[in-house]
Amino acid sequence: MTLGLLAGHSLSAQPPVTMPDAQVPPPGPALDLINKNCSGCHTTATIFSQRKSADDWAATVQLMVDRGAELKPDEQDAVIGYLTKNFSDSPAAATAPAATPAP
């Protein structure tokens, strides 16, 4: 019985955590999606402490969706873009201006 209670507790949503030495994530809709959909299994500090390429972020987000993260395709794109822009392993990606839609 205790094991069942512990297992149930470990699956409960974890609050977003900030790391003192990590970059503070900028606000925005994609951050809200990350806080809502990713912190159920791990802290957001786990995400924000990583630096990956756009392809690696896309693969990671897809893996999380395959494991049960509930993100629609457009939400996945938003999260991947946000993570690539703000938590890239390439300095150029982190400083590149966001694409602006055509008029």
Side-chain angles (χ1 to χ4, degrees), residues 42-83:
H42 49 76
T43 67
T44 54
T46 300
I47 301 165
F48 301 140
S49 66
Q50 300 180 54
R51 300 296 179 267
K52 298 183 181 195
S53 68
D55 289 342
D56 289 341
W57 277 124
T60 300
V61 170
Q62 184 60 55
L63 178 63
M64 296 301 106
V65 169
D66 293 345
R67 291 181 176 179
E70 295 181 8
L71 290 170
K72 298 174 189 167
D74 61 319
E75 294 172 331
Q76 290 178 45
D77 292 341
V79 168
I80 292 164
Y82 176 88
L83 292 171

